[in-house]
Amino acid sequence: MPRYYISDVVTLTPYEDINKTVMANLDPTALFHNISNYDLFVWMHYYAARDTITPLNMTRADIEFAYDGQGFPTWHRLYMLAWERTLQDISNNENFANPFWDWTRSKTQ
């Protein structure tokens, strides 16, 4: 199977439920899924941009750190770098690069 077909293993099951399964001496592997590279990036993006869960297990739709907070430049830059490196690996072309707009050279600012 080509390397780019299976990327990683993810779960949508909360840790507590996985732990209960393990503590009950049951096999937790059905809670995890092999996914493609594309699906991994969709999954990572969803988790970065989803509603925030507070320490009291309350979901807050009005708090979203991926795009509405100070961390956006760093997490999104790393996310795009990982995407670019994955595309380089899939295409077997280490010179592949995502197109981007260099805002530092813009004369309209």
Side-chain angles (χ1 to χ4, degrees):
M1 184 176 307
R3 179 171 172 225
Y4 59 84
Y5 180 72
I6 299 298
S7 171
D8 221 324
V9 177
V10 298
T11 186
L12 298 178
T13 306
Y15 168 77
E16 291 82 7
D17 294 343
I18 296 170
N19 194 42
K20 285 178 190 175
T21 302
V22 171
M23 296 307 286
N25 289 325
L26 299 173
D27 184 5
T29 54
L31 304 175
F32 296 86
H33 308 282
N34 288 327
I35 59 171
S36 68
N37 283 307
Y38 174 79
D39 289 336
L40 175 63
F41 280 89
V42 170
W43 183 81
M44 286 190 301
H45 195 272
Y46 165 76
Y47 269 84
R50 71 183 184 146
D51 296 342
T52 298
I53 300 172
T54 67
L56 300 175
N57 286 331
M58 295 174 50
T59 302
R60 299 277 307 267
D62 60 324
I63 303 174
E64 189 262 290
F65 294 106
Y67 287 97
D68 293 337
Q70 300 90 338
F72 171 75
T74 52
W75 94 263
H76 205 269
R77 185 167 294 196
L78 180 60
Y79 178 82
M80 293 306 297
L81 177 62
W83 175 244
E84 185 174 82
R85 297 273 167 85
T86 299
L87 292 175
Q88 289 172 349
D89 188 38
I90 291 170
S91 67
N92 199 25
N93 178 0
E94 65 183 34
N95 294 317
F96 174 86
N98 285 319
F100 69 97
W101 173 54
D102 186 355
W103 59 271
T104 63
R105 295 179 180 217
S106 176
K107 295 181 181 175
T108 60
Q109 291 185 6

